[in-house]
Amino acid sequence: MVSRTRSDATDAADGTSTRSDPLRPSDHIDSAGPIDDSVTQPRLGPLGYVRFFWRQLTSMRTALILLLLLALGAVPGSLVPQRSSDPNGVVAYQTANPQSFKVLDSLGLFSTFTSPWFSAIYLLLFISLVGCIIPRLKHHLDALRAKPPKTPARLERLVGYASTTTTTDAESAIVQARSLLKRQGYRVARYDTDGPHPSLSISAERGYLRESGNLVFHLALVGMLLTVGVFGSFGYTGQRILVQGEAFTNSLTDYDSYNPGRFANENSLQPFQLRLDSFQPKYLFQDGSWSPESFNANLSTRVPGGSWTKQLLQVNSPLSIGGTQVYLLGNGFAPIVTVKDPSGKVVYSGAVPFLSQDANLTSAGVIKVPDGLAKQVAFQGFFCPTPVATTTGCTSLSPYLSDAAVLQLSVFTGNLGLDKGTPVNAYSLNEDGLTKIAGFRTKVDGLQLTKGKTAQLPDGLGSIEFTGISRYVSVDVHHDPTPAFALLFAMLILGGLLLSLFVPRRRVWIKALPGKDGRTRLEYAGLARGEDPTLARAVSELVARHGQHLDGVTAEPSSDDPPTRT
Amino acid sequence: MPATLAAYSVVAVYSAITVYVIAFIAFALDLSKRSAIAQASAKALATPAQLTVGGSGAGTTVLEKPSAVPSVRGKASRYQRTGYALVIVGWVVHLTALVLRGLAAGRVPWANLYEFAMTGTAIMIGVFIFIQFYRDVKFLGAYITGVVVLLLGLASVNFYVAVTPLPPALQSAWLVIHVFVATLGTGFFAVGGGLSIAQLLQTRREAGGLTRAPFLATFPMAEVLENIAYRVVVVGFAFWTFTLMAGAIWAERAWGRYWGWDTKEVWTFIIWVTFAGYIHARATRGWRGSRSAWLAIIGFSAVLFNYTVVNLFFKGLHAYSGL
Ligand code: HEM
């Protein structure tokens, strides 16, 4: 595909043969230079155009521009609320700025990371990546089997050049050199030359892992994209409020909300059960306010055919039940109420989760009683575990439950809209078609109940008793088949990166020249392939090591000043 | 007892800032001394020698031979030695402040914005000192002490919060790892950013500009600065990659998903991709040199932006500034 324009004939002379070098796009800094056929061919055929565009797409410059676009394209995703992570924020934005919302929404900015333009950037990037990596992979697999290139005729101009003389004969010195280099992890090849000045030499190369790591890194990026983008769609998430004592079965109908991935189906739901036994929060009082210290939810779980087992659920430690994770999200109070008709018959009884509104668990909720009374009745109001009164209700001073805990309710009658079969939010009240018969802004005071107290409803409708208080937790149930694979690819990305950044790829040569005086002259030098700041030191260490295996070594002063490190 | 420890910690922070300020002054004096030397030797040199860079074709750098460019190297000045000694003293005091804060809180001292700044700047100085073992970059002293004084001072004055326990979402070993490695990465990016700034200035000088900053003549050549910057940034990049992954693991444990494009996640990603761009730029013909240096600087600016503006003003799950 991309051809190297350096010829091996000239390379052999300076030892920079590129045959075993990693293959790079033509505009890579180490590559020979742009291939000029786009310039020299004035008219391109259709195939020529395709090849031209393909080469543009798989060039370093395109990869770079796409990377920078990717970074830039992600910025709006942090400036504007996102549907995926902050749906309420999006609604709030729409209400606050309906005008600019329309513009931004048409640009897809509220779902930046799934928008067509963002997808286009990363898809192009990954096509470029695959196009870049396949030829490199092929080339590298060949290089892994290739011998290190011929020893250059002159080593003097290369890095760390040093020469010594020894009384050891050339053959033994070179055999020693070979085993020394092999032990240091070099791949070695022996090249001897005849002629008026015969020489024996070892050519050694190491650091193939640098390119292997680079390829693993880039391939693992593709793996990560596929894992998250395709495989991830087989999962689902669901939320559910669990009131103390209540059992939840992991099935579609038992969720408060359920969000399947594109390829998820009902069969992906494992049929397990959860029950909240008790909930123990701990708070800390400091600088005049309460902050949570720990939340412990004692659950019982059961898989089909098994018995209930006790388990502790905490914020940072999800439960794992057969490949499905259960996370602790929120918690609150669920006042237990009993509603009776005028004759004293119980028409409604149960714990009703109230959603907390602040850090001190001032909680708001709705109780709906559609059947059993003369009219449909709904209660809406607040529960305050440690109350102080306000004009519109109560607010709580502490998240802990006190004896004064109060339930304050307004009362509505009318059509609750529950018969139409359309789903209705259990935690809010649509006041259309309802008449407020007690509470703020009506003639009748709202109901004020402490635990154990009963209040009569207006118009002789019946009574409501505040029987007790339960706790609830909200849990997030996740089934995501990807984390194990994502973790695997993450490790490959990190491992590949470390190899590719920190393994030096280098060549070194040791040459032995039998001298007339019976002494053998040895020459050493190295050549970096890519970033390699420690090469000179490595060569000088090699000289010292090799010297330990030889007899009567004397160093020759080098003609130049010793090269300095940069 | 914790309250006294915390109070001592504050005293130590302010002492460290003071020492760093004096170090900064010493480094600044060193730069002006360098300017004087450079001007003197520029006069002495009648004709500037030519730049020689050893290389064997096609960009395969064999070695940068010691060049006879109009650059002036000499022994470190007394000011520089003083500055550097003060940096070490300041650092020890700074570390003491960290340890005291940690003891007072009974946990690692990086859980709110004030503590991030405290730990992050300590790591910046630590990285600066660490790099000296491989390569003398003390000429960056004024930059690094300047940045640290600015960040640490701003944090102490504006973002100070009393010791508080960790909210439940933060009680995880991954916090310790994730945040610590992120700050480590930041330290390397900070030094890399400084080197890249020096590289850009040096490039301008080598092109005949910037005559008003003669001290640059005593700095390494732009290409050398670029090579050091690259090595430093690449270490930071490795740490940042790990940060991204540790963060994902932690998010998986805490929120049930490893990636959700939360504001902070978005910025961690942006920074990662920017530095990946930097590394690519270094390997792309036409982008090595000043353009890639700009990317390193933009990357470090994004890191600072992430720590400050994103932490303070952006809504998200990672609302841990403690303010
Ligand atoms: C998903 C987008 C990409 C990311 C995040 C990325 C990231 C990186 C990183 C971090 C490095 C340095 C570490 C290493 O050497 O392995 C690197 C190197 C490299 N990348 Fe990419 N890359 C991406 C796409 C591409 C594409 C599309 C190409 C092909 C045009 C490419 C070609 C290369 C090459 C040739 C190197 C080696 C550079 C050198 O010689 O120093 N990358 N990449």
Side-chain angles (χ1 to χ4, degrees), chain A residues 28 58-59 125 128-129 132 136 214 217-218 500, chain B residues 237 279-280:
Chain A
H28 187 280
T58 57
S59 71
L125 182 58
S128 166
L129 180 52
C132 171
R136 283 174 56 191
N214 185 295
F217 170 84
H218 285 91
S500 148
Chain B
F237 184 77
I279 293 174
H280 270 227

Side-chain angles (χ1 to χ4, degrees), chain A residues 93-117:
Chain A
Y93 191 98
Q94 184 171 17
T95 336
N97 321 289
Q99 233 44 56
S100 63
F101 179 86
K102 268 203 209 111
V103 179
L104 297 183
D105 197 33
S106 65
L107 295 174
L109 290 191
F110 294 96
S111 32
T112 299
F113 302 102
T114 49
S115 68
W117 53 270

